[in-house]
Amino acid sequence: MKLLVYGAGVCGSLFAARMHEADHDVSLLARGERLTVLRRQGVQLAEEDGPVRRVPVPVVEHPDGEYDLITVFVRTHQVDAVLESLAGVRGDVLFLLNWAAGPESLGAVIGHERVLLGFPTTGGTMDGDVIRYRKSNFITRRVAMPIGEPDGRTTPRLVRIVETFRTAGINAKAEPQMDAWLRTHAAFEVPLGQAVHAAGGPVVLADDPEAVRGMLHLMRQNLAAMETPPVPGAFAALRALPQGLLVAALRRFLKSPTAVHSGLSDLSPATAAELERLAEQLRAPAGAR
């Protein structure tokens, strides 16, 4: 499989490195200073506070010609620019990112038949030029990366992509309700991310029970406003379980290594811009998505 990974942040770089180490024909697209660093030093990875290793993933500045698959790892507010640059590039496009606006707006630019949806389950933080990713454990190893067709079908290309990722050690699965999955995740992610950003980090937020209660209230409002049941169905527990129990569980999560060594610790302006765009998508009426 000839693969282009569009976006050289934490998730895109981790994914590209895994595919390269599994001997796939993969290129990583980067721009500016990140491109320069990658060409000089390769993808630099470290498991949390462990030693740094370098993976010599080929890097490019622009899409070139034709690919079997293009995987897009960018922030929500950067998608419009990506769509324009891919309009004339051949290949199926798997969007692995935060997205609550549905597949129609994506397909309108690059062709509806090219679009697949998904979400990355890897996480980490940028430490200078080094990506420090969270250590895997029993729970994280069981969390599969969901990928799906916009219409929910299990197509030959979906099966092929899932199997290809699995051969590289990436725990992927076909998700028949990917659009609903992404909207459910956004309903949870927007209040969580904005509360963490306002507090100054996940651990700081965990030490403010009142702020956690306010965050939970917004999560419940978002889930109640969805046109479809939450996917996965376990998110319904955020509306059903007692507030005190959920606040305690969320506070424990915010102090866990999973939360600390994840995108939640990124308090950059780009994170705030992404969360605002995602919130706009959630607020948009169904016909406008």
Side-chain angles (χ1 to χ4, degrees):
M1 176 180 285
K2 185 179 181 183
L3 175 67
L4 175 68
V5 179
Y6 198 124
V10 170
C11 293
S13 297
L14 282 169
F15 181 83
R18 292 285 291 277
M19 297 301 287
H20 177 79
E21 290 177 325
D23 294 325
H24 286 285
D25 180 5
V26 56
S27 298
L28 177 60
L29 188 145
R31 301 274 168 77
E33 184 179 346
R34 181 67 175 154
L35 175 67
T36 302
V37 170
L38 289 168
R39 281 178 169 167
R40 184 174 65 246
Q41 300 178 344
V43 176
Q44 299 177 82
L45 304 174
E47 187 179 68
E48 296 185 3
D49 297 324
V52 177
R53 62 187 178 90
R54 296 182 179 181
V55 182
V57 181
V59 291
V60 297
E61 188 173 6
H62 302 286
D64 180 23
E66 182 175 351
Y67 301 90
D68 297 308
L69 182 67
I70 302 165
T71 56
V72 179
F73 294 87
V74 300
R75 295 185 181 275
T76 311
H77 62 289
Q78 297 170 328
V79 169
D80 290 344
V82 172
L83 290 171
E84 293 178 8
S85 70
L86 292 181
V89 181
R90 291 178 137 191
D92 293 327
V93 185
L94 170 57
F95 293 88
L96 288 156
L97 42 78
N98 277 314
W99 191 256
E104 291 79 12
S105 58
L106 303 173
V109 180
I110 64 171
H112 297 286
E113 73 286 351
R114 299 177 63 192
V115 174
L116 297 107
L117 302 172
F119 190 83
T121 53
T122 55
T125 56
M126 292 293 296
D127 179 10
D129 296 324
V130 177
I131 295 170
R132 297 195 176 275
Y133 58 93
R134 61 186 178 226
K135 187 179 297 185
S136 64
N137 55 42
F138 175 76
I139 295 176
T140 58
R141 285 192 294 270
R142 290 177 62 87
V143 177
M145 181 170 72
I147 303 168
E149 295 279 2
D151 60 7
R153 292 178 301 145
T154 302
T155 60
R157 71 169 177 177
L158 178 60
V159 173
R160 182 175 65 253
I161 291 167
V162 168
E163 289 303 317
T164 299
F165 290 173
R166 286 178 176 173
T167 62
I170 297 169
N171 183 16
K173 71 170 185 177
E175 171 53 62
Q177 301 180 76
M178 198 63 234
D179 185 30
W181 194 105
L182 287 168
R183 285 190 60 77
T184 301
H185 184 269
F188 174 83
E189 173 68 17
V190 169
L192 174 63
Q194 291 182 334
V196 167
H197 205 271
V203 175
V204 181
L205 176 60
D207 290 332
D208 186 347
E210 189 60 35
V212 176
R213 278 191 286 271
M215 176 184 74
L216 175 60
H217 176 71
L218 292 175
M219 289 176 180
R220 286 175 157 174
Q221 281 188 327
N222 286 344
L223 290 169
M226 288 181 58
E227 299 94 355
T228 58
V231 179
F235 273 93
L238 289 174
R239 297 176 59 189
L241 292 177
Q243 182 188 69
L245 178 64
L246 290 171
V247 168
L250 287 167
R251 292 180 69 195
R252 283 197 299 273
F253 164 72
L254 289 164
K255 291 183 178 181
S256 71
T258 299
V260 173
H261 293 280
S262 72
L264 286 174
S265 295
D266 182 356
L267 305 179
S268 67
T271 297
E274 175 177 44
L275 291 168
E276 180 54 37
R277 180 66 182 276
L278 201 58
E280 292 172 1
Q281 292 180 347
L282 281 174
R283 292 193 296 264
R289 292 196 295 271

